[in-house]
Amino acid sequence: MAAINHPFGAAGRRILFPAPVGRINWWVVAAIVVVGVSATLPVLQNSTATDDGFAIQRARAEQVRLNGEIRQLESDVARLTSLARIQRRALDLGLSPASSPYFVTVDEPGPAPAKLPAEYLPRTASETGSPEPWWQSLIEWLPLPD
Amino acid sequence: MAQQRVQGTRRVWVPAAFFFAFTLVIAARLVQVQVIEHKAYAERAATELKSGETRLARRGAILDRNGNVLATSVDTWDIYVSPRSWQDPVNALQAADALARLLANDIAQPKVDASQLRAQVGAGGTGDVLIARDVSYETGRLILGSSITGVTGIVNSARIHPEGDTGASVLGIIGQENSGLAGIEAQYNSVLQGKPGKAIFERDTTGDPIPFGEHVVTDPQPGKDIVLTIDRYIQRQAEYWLEKGIKDHRAKGGAIIVMDPRNGEILALASSPGLKYSTLDLSDAAQGDLLRNRTVTDLYEPGSVMKVITAAAAIDAGVVSPGTTYVDTGIAYIYDIPIKNWDDSVYGTQTMTGVLQHSINTGAIFMVEKLGQKAFHSYLDAFGFGRPTGIDLNGESTGIIRRPTDDDWSPVDLATQSFGQSISVTPLQMLSAVAATINGGRLIKPRLARAFVGPDGVREEVRPEIVGEPISETASATIRQMLYDVVNPEGRTYPGAPVNYTAGGKSGTANVPIPNGYDDRQVASFIGFAPADAPQILVLVKLDENNDLMTGTQAASPIFAKLADDVLAYLNVRPDSARYVSR
């Protein structure tokens, strides 16, 4: 019989992990689970990260598209409210410039202001003035003579 | 039993030694790569792995005083084709055909057919070939969505002007790098442009960013919107009346400026010839001249409009009053040099108001002689002549005043300056000075920017800036009345009187100076304000080299009258003259 060389120990030497003999070694199972989970987790993380990365790229592209469309819509609104178009529409409706106007003063408010973003509109007097301090309102409750 | 000792044999130690040596080599190489040459390799890896892109910031919009858009930016696409993808003739034919068909959707793009596209790509070398710049957003998306072989797009931005050519010479233009080249676009380039962002990221082999790789992003900061003092309607009307005036009087060019004299806000600034987007061709060198705004860059001799300044100075100094009289003989001698009235008339005894009404040169000389050279020149300085007004437009000229310190100064210069010769001004300087004579005596810096609106919606107002007070409020009220008398003479109708509003003003007709004299070409102008008691608009109308040789009163003042009626009604100013019905 050929001699078998056991460089790290002789045959019959006590081995570190005894073979299971009819019962489960929970330590071993736990170790296997930990090792398995540790190995799988980075794969799962990587997979999720890749998914998220693509989602982010899609969201960015969508953001760029929406921004572009917002600017497009803003420019469309600007074109549709331009003087040249208003004049064309007025002519289409049969209107013509007033040649000899008469002026009448009426106690009615003027036409509604143009529908533009608030920040673009000239500020009204109340907006430009400093706000009334909170304690000022308390004075109104006092029975002071007019 | 005693444990048996492991005996090493050659069969074990030789491979072990080999592996050990191999490991050492590997370790040494790792040390070399990761430690010794770490920096070089890290840089090389970064170059290969990292990619960067500049993210353009949104350029701010330019709005009129009521918030209407005059200039704004929209996203566009620059379309490229990879010549490598078009090497196969069948693919190239199909792709070129599809691309040409889609490009035809964008009316702003020049018409190209498929064969032209193939030739363009074929001649383009190895890199991607730019096929079309600033393709409209919708067309670009159609092209990129069609997955045409070898076609890619890069987002760019283009400036659009919803009001067309209206206000073009004020707004100016931007270049291909989105930087302002003229007008407000150039003056406020740093405000409008914002700050571009930058994205640096690690990429995979396809060039896409690696998720959770290094990713540094600096978001672009959008530029601010600028709200101008310009009113689009008034600007349009000013441009209309200017073009009509130039055509009617066969003039070479001209200018109309409408200002609110109470705060220096410019409501309209029209000049001709001037920039027009519809006909702009920057490859034509001659059109480069159109980029300057002549109302602030070009000088002219104002002629008799300067008598307003002479009278204001003399009245403020107390050397004359509106009722002060002198005798006009039709000619004044300055060191034996005769100076005549513009129409060679002799007006006899005249008041200072009469001097303005009849625009008598000898009367202006009378006032300046009463005032004296030093005082007159100090008033000219106080009114802002000889220096830029400080308006927020590039390229403003300073103007020229001849002074005693000049080598070729002559006392005749002082006399002629009193009625607007030997002095060169910009139209805006003249208007700004006259504004000070009628607004209570305050010289206010004219301006075009009314407010800045940040991307966060925060609005910063630009406040009026009073530069000086050349004359008193009393003198200003007196001048206002005298100028009202010019436009409302007894016994005759003045062509520059508006129908529905009271007004004041003064005309000027001056020959164009040439070396050692003047030639027959002339500049006809008028500066008027309305309503007379509380002026809300001040208008300068100037016609250059009108071939019909009509005077400022005949040619320019009627334009003022029509514009004043129109603009004040538009501004909801209650008419104070003529037909007015109240219940």
Side-chain angles (χ1 to χ4, degrees):
Chain A
M1 196 173 93
I4 297 172
N5 189 22
H6 296 280
F8 298 106
R13 184 168 60 97
R14 185 173 171 266
I15 56 175
L16 265 165
F17 300 105
V21 187
R23 69 184 180 89
I24 297 166
N25 187 332
W26 291 108
W27 288 109
V28 174
V29 172
I32 290 168
V33 168
V34 168
V35 170
V37 169
S38 306
T40 317
L41 204 58
V43 177
L44 289 173
Q45 272 185 328
N46 205 15
S47 170
T48 315
T50 308
D51 269 359
D52 289 349
F54 282 121
I56 288 168
Q57 280 177 35
R58 275 196 300 274
R60 284 220 176 96
E62 184 69 0
Q63 187 189 23
V64 169
R65 188 183 68 78
L66 290 173
N67 280 337
E69 283 188 5
I70 287 169
R71 287 177 208 175
Q72 202 64 36
L73 288 171
E74 283 175 349
S75 72
D76 286 348
V77 170
R79 280 197 194 98
L80 291 172
T81 55
S82 69
L83 284 177
R85 186 182 173 277
I86 291 170
Q87 188 180 28
R88 258 198 321 273
R89 284 291 296 146
L91 291 173
D92 289 347
L93 292 170
L95 302 175
S96 62
S99 54
S100 182
Y102 280 79
F103 294 90
V104 182
T105 303
V106 291
D107 296 330
E108 294 294 332
K115 286 178 181 172
L116 289 163
E119 67 265 26
Y120 293 162
L121 294 171
R123 291 193 167 182
T124 56
S126 60
E127 280 177 315
T128 50
S130 55
E132 197 174 74
W134 63 271
W135 49 264
Q136 199 80 37
S137 59
L138 298 177
I139 295 174
E140 292 171 14
W141 291 88
L142 298 175
L144 297 172
D146 290 333
Chain B
M1 191 179 92
Q3 201 145 37
Q4 189 183 346
R5 195 160 176 271
V6 177
Q7 290 295 321
T9 68
R10 182 175 291 179
R11 287 170 61 191
V12 172
W13 288 115
V14 168
F18 173 78
F19 282 116
F20 181 72
F22 184 70
T23 310
L24 268 184
V25 171
I26 298 281
R29 177 66 179 153
L30 284 174
V31 169
Q32 183 198 5
V33 169
Q34 296 188 349
V35 180
I36 300 169
E37 295 179 9
H38 167 79
K39 199 176 170 187
Y41 278 102
E43 279 172 6
R44 200 167 140 190
T47 312
E48 287 177 9
L49 265 179
K50 284 184 185 170
S51 181
E53 60 183 31
T54 302
R55 297 186 173 179
L56 286 178
R58 173 187 171 269
R59 189 173 177 87
I62 303 176
L63 311 155
D64 87 338
R65 63 188 293 112
N66 300 311
N68 299 298
V69 178
L70 300 177
T72 188
S73 292
V74 289
D75 284 357
T76 57
W77 296 93
D78 291 347
I79 302 294
Y80 290 83
V81 170
S82 160
R84 195 183 298 170
S85 309
W86 280 25
Q87 276 172 350
D88 176 28
V90 179
N91 275 349
L93 200 67
Q94 286 175 347
D97 196 39
L99 185 57
R101 208 172 46 248
L102 288 170
L103 278 173
N105 287 338
D106 187 349
I107 52 169
Q109 290 294 322
K111 297 288 172 210
V112 283
D113 58 29
S115 59
Q116 283 175 304
L117 286 180
R118 284 203 311 279
Q120 200 176 339
V121 174
T126 52
D128 287 357
V129 179
L130 176 65
I131 292 295
R133 189 182 284 278
D134 283 338
V135 173
S136 75
Y137 185 75
E138 287 303 322
T139 306
R141 276 179 52 76
L142 273 177
I143 290 170
L144 299 176
S146 303
S147 305
I148 303 171
T149 309
V151 174
T152 51
I154 293 178
V155 176
N156 202 343
S157 142
R159 210 69 167 148
I160 62 156
H161 304 94
E163 298 296 337
D165 288 336
T166 304
S169 56
V170 178
L171 302 175
I173 57 167
I174 60 170
Q176 287 191 343
E177 299 303 316
N178 283 326
S179 286
L181 297 181
I184 289 291
E185 298 276 18
Q187 176 74 26
Y188 288 110
N189 187 52
S190 58
V191 177
L192 288 164
Q193 197 168 35
K195 284 185 185 163
K198 188 131 185 136
I200 299 167
F201 49 82
E202 288 179 325
R203 60 182 177 176
D204 59 20
T205 49
T206 61
D208 290 329
I210 296 172
F212 295 94
E214 189 184 343
H215 203 118
V216 183
V217 176
T218 317
D219 283 330
Q221 291 178 11
K224 291 180 179 176
D225 295 336
I226 296 182
V227 182
L228 297 184
T229 57
I230 295 285
D231 184 298
R232 67 173 181 173
Y233 177 79
I234 301 174
Q235 177 73 29
R236 190 166 181 256
Q237 292 306 97
E239 289 176 6
Y240 168 77
W241 284 109
L242 177 61
E243 289 307 321
K244 190 173 186 309
I246 289 171
K247 193 177 164 195
D248 290 350
H249 300 285
R250 289 176 285 130
K252 191 180 168 190
I256 291 182
I257 311 175
V258 184
M259 175 194 264
D260 185 337
R262 300 167 297 180
N263 52 25
E265 289 184 353
I266 304 292
L267 303 174
L269 192 73
S271 71
S272 180
L275 178 65
K276 281 185 171 36
Y277 300 124
S278 56
T279 54
L280 181 66
D281 177 12
L282 286 178
S283 61
D284 178 4
Q287 290 212 13
D289 202 33
L290 300 178
L291 296 183
R292 74 176 200 269
N293 192 309
R294 289 157 199 262
T295 58
V296 299
T297 59
D298 287 15
L299 299 175
Y300 76 112
E301 290 200 349
S304 296
V305 175
M306 184 55 89
K307 287 171 187 157
V308 177
I309 305 300
T310 307
I315 284 167
D316 185 67
V319 295
V320 297
S321 69
T324 301
T325 57
Y326 86 112
V327 179
D328 170 47
T329 57
I331 195 163
Y333 287 93
I334 309 292
Y335 289 89
D336 294 336
I337 296 172
I339 298 175
K340 292 181 183 175
N341 287 330
W342 67 277
D343 56 355
D344 292 333
S345 296
V346 178
Y347 290 94
T349 303
Q350 282 293 326
T351 61
M352 296 302 107
T353 300
V355 167
L356 292 186
Q357 283 177 316
H358 300 293
S359 199
I360 308 172
N361 289 348
T362 60
I365 296 171
F366 170 80
M367 285 191 267
V368 88
E369 281 179 341
K370 288 269 186 192
L371 202 55
Q373 177 267 321
K374 274 190 181 170
F376 181 62
H377 277 173
S378 67
Y379 271 107
L380 290 184
D381 291 338
F383 274 112
F385 293 108
R387 66 171 191 271
T389 62
I391 190 172
D392 36 0
L393 264 186
N394 286 331
E396 191 180 10
S397 301
T398 54
I400 302 166
I401 308 174
R402 289 166 71 89
R403 297 176 189 272
T405 49
D406 292 340
D407 292 339
D408 52 353
W409 165 261
S410 148
V412 176
D413 288 333
L414 179 65
T416 54
Q417 279 175 349
S418 70
F419 54 86
Q421 292 181 352
S422 304
I423 179 169
S424 294
V425 300
T426 65
L428 190 70
Q429 265 181 342
M430 196 66 235
L431 192 74
S432 178
V434 174
T437 66
I438 61 154
N439 70 2
R442 292 165 302 147
L443 184 70
I444 304 173
K445 186 163 101 174
R447 66 202 161 95
L448 284 163
R450 194 176 196 213
F452 301 103
V453 182
D456 49 3
V458 174
R459 185 178 165 118
E460 306 160 36
E461 301 288 337
V462 180
R463 301 281 169 207
E465 189 182 325
I466 297 173
V467 181
E469 296 185 9
I471 60 170
S472 68
E473 204 168 336
T474 316
S476 172
T478 307
I479 286 292
R480 233 174 16 240
Q481 180 60 44
M482 290 170 81
L483 294 178
Y484 171 81
D485 291 338
V486 170
V487 175
N488 300 275
E490 280 183 23
R492 63 189 171 98
T493 306
Y494 189 83
V499 175
N500 299 314
Y501 298 91
T502 56
K506 180 75 190 80
S507 64
T509 312
N511 287 107
V512 175
I514 55 172
N516 302 319
Y518 292 86
D519 69 12
D520 288 339
R521 293 174 300 155
Q522 66 172 35
V523 175
S525 65
F526 184 84
I527 294 186
F529 60 88
D533 285 340
Q536 295 200 28
I537 57 165
L538 177 69
V539 182
L540 175 143
V541 180
K542 173 172 158 281
L543 297 172
D544 299 333
E545 300 178 28
N546 53 319
N547 279 316
D548 61 1
L549 297 180
M550 287 171 84
T551 63
T553 305
Q554 295 164 326
S557 77
I559 296 175
F560 158 75
K562 293 205 170 60
L563 199 55
D565 271 331
D566 187 0
V567 168
L568 290 174
Y570 165 76
L571 292 174
N572 281 329
V573 177
R574 183 178 168 141
D576 59 353
S577 173
R579 286 175 300 228
Y580 176 66
V581 183
S582 181
R583 82 176 179 189

